[in-house]
Amino acid sequence: RSLLADLEIKERPTEMVMQVCRELNAIGNNLNQIAKYFHTGGAKSQEMEFEIRRCITQLFQLRSQIMNIGDGLYGNIKTHI
């Protein structure tokens, strides 16, 4: 009880937030695999360049989704920025 007394209880994240977190994790894993490939002497290829561009595109799409989630939770987030 004494441990819980010092904690702030927060609301559980929505399913949308959890989905965005899972997608960010997957993109991070892909980028780590790409970095490992290059650090172990992997050659640059069109396939690898395509994968990098795909990850970057996904990151921008997720950024947009996160901004929309923020708007719903805290008002217009662009105003805060």
Side-chain angles (χ1 to χ4, degrees):
R1 287 184 181 176
S2 62
L3 291 174
L4 291 175
D6 294 332
L7 295 177
E8 179 184 346
I9 298 174
K10 297 181 181 179
E11 189 175 330
R12 177 176 280 186
T14 65
E15 181 55 36
M16 182 185 291
V17 171
M18 295 303 295
Q19 179 63 32
V20 170
C21 288
R22 284 190 290 272
E23 289 180 33
L24 283 171
N25 191 31
I27 293 169
N29 288 337
N30 288 348
L31 290 173
N32 283 335
Q33 290 172 0
I34 291 168
K36 181 178 179 182
Y37 173 80
F38 284 122
H39 285 132
T40 58
K44 182 179 177 183
S45 67
Q46 284 185 331
E47 183 179 329
M48 195 57 64
E49 188 173 331
F50 173 78
E51 182 63 20
I52 292 169
R53 290 184 189 278
R54 189 181 70 78
C55 287
I56 291 170
T57 300
Q58 286 180 326
L59 287 171
F60 278 104
Q61 290 170 346
L62 284 173
R63 180 180 180 268
S64 178
Q65 288 178 4
I66 291 168
M67 295 286 278
N68 289 335
I69 291 170
D71 286 350
L73 295 175
Y74 306 109
N76 188 339
I77 197 141
K78 292 176 186 171
T79 304
H80 296 291
I81 294 173

